[in-house]
Amino acid sequence: MFITLEGVDGAGKSSHLDWLADWFRVRGRSVRMTREPGGTPVGEKLREIVLHDPMHLETEALVMFAARREHLAQVIRPALAAGEVVISDRFTDASFAYQCGGRGLDPARLEVLEQWVHGDLQPDLTLLFDVPTEIAAARLANARAPDRFERERADFHARVRHAYLHRAERFPERIRVLDGSRTLDEVREQLAAILGART
Ligand code: TMP
């Protein structure tokens, strides 16, 4: 089973990673936790570059997919083949939300890359943590030094959020939306209900 977590920066998804992994482990499943951009030695180097060095918008999209290509080859496909549950903190929906929604790249360009890199493989379940952009911004204000995406203005984050919600409408079977503005316990209840229905 391939599960991805998505949401605007500050949506709170990372607070639930360990809980999610435990949910599967107590049910006897072996879990592989990973993230994008990153997840491999090459991918983590690309992450450093793409999060911090200014670049053309198409370069940014290509770097995301280069890291993803490596991630699929080294981590995701082997783990799925071994029967593990793979939980990735972000995947291709993030490219559609950030590079297309946020930055304005034509989605047709990304669809070509998506087809090339993982045309035959989609997540089984995507958990989209949705929060109003003001709440996300307030959470980020207390965070560590912001990266290139976190430093973007409020309208960028609003477009990213909108693009995510649009994807959720387009793929309702795969993408489940959670209200990330609730307390940790309330979000966990939502998660448990979704997972219970799926597994
Ligand atoms: P993180 O803060 O959740 O680790 O994600 C790093 C940043 O990278 C986040 O701001 C979203 C951005 N991102 C993209 O713009 N496109 C992508 O395809 C991915 C995977 C992440």
Side-chain angles (χ1 to χ4, degrees):
M1 191 174 192
F2 180 26
I3 300 178
T4 59
L5 274 62
E6 299 283 359
V8 296
D9 295 281
K13 61 185 166 49
S14 307
S15 324
H16 299 285
L17 280 169
D18 289 342
W19 183 91
L20 265 172
D22 285 345
W23 197 92
F24 284 100
R25 286 187 183 125
V26 298
R27 286 162 180 79
R29 300 295 303 271
S30 166
V31 178
R32 181 67 190 248
M33 312 282 292
T34 186
R35 70 168 180 181
E36 289 204 350
T40 65
V42 166
E44 292 295 327
K45 285 186 185 165
L46 293 174
R47 177 186 177 93
E48 273 310 298
I49 295 169
V50 79
L51 292 194
H52 300 292
D53 296 357
M55 63 185 71
H56 188 277
L57 133 77
E58 291 186 356
T59 312
E60 184 179 286
L62 289 164
V63 173
M64 294 295 181
F65 272 92
R68 185 163 296 134
R69 181 68 191 88
E70 192 66 12
H71 194 205
L72 282 153
Q74 301 292 339
V75 176
I76 298 174
R77 287 185 192 277
L80 290 174
E84 291 184 282
V85 176
V86 176
I87 302 179
S88 183
D89 189 349
R90 300 195 186 281
F91 191 61
T92 295
D93 292 307
S95 301
F96 282 99
Y98 282 79
Q99 279 65 58
C100 299
R103 302 230 192 271
L105 181 69
D106 180 356
R109 292 247 190 236
L110 277 202
E111 278 160 16
V112 172
L113 289 176
E114 179 186 32
Q115 192 56 36
W116 179 17
V117 169
H118 61 97
D120 57 331
L121 178 74
Q122 289 293 335
D124 298 297
L125 174 65
T126 297
L127 300 164
L128 172 56
F129 292 75
D130 181 55
V131 287
T133 34
E134 313 81 71
I135 294 183
R139 286 178 181 164
L140 284 182
N142 304 322
R144 55 195 161 61
D147 62 39
R148 240 162 38 80
F149 296 97
E150 292 163 341
R151 275 200 304 272
E152 286 289 344
R153 292 161 21 154
D155 57 327
F156 174 89
H157 295 288
R159 289 196 302 277
V160 171
R161 181 188 185 202
H162 182 262
Y164 268 132
L165 291 173
H166 180 70
R167 300 244 338 139
E169 275 172 22
R170 190 167 158 205
F171 303 107
E173 286 302 306
R174 173 172 68 84
I175 305 181
R176 301 299 307 270
V177 183
L178 294 113
D179 182 352
S181 62
R182 301 296 182 90
T183 64
L184 223 55
D185 283 345
E186 286 169 340
V187 174
R188 275 171 197 172
E189 274 173 32
Q190 298 177 55
L191 280 171
I194 292 169
L195 294 174
R198 283 299 181 111
T199 52

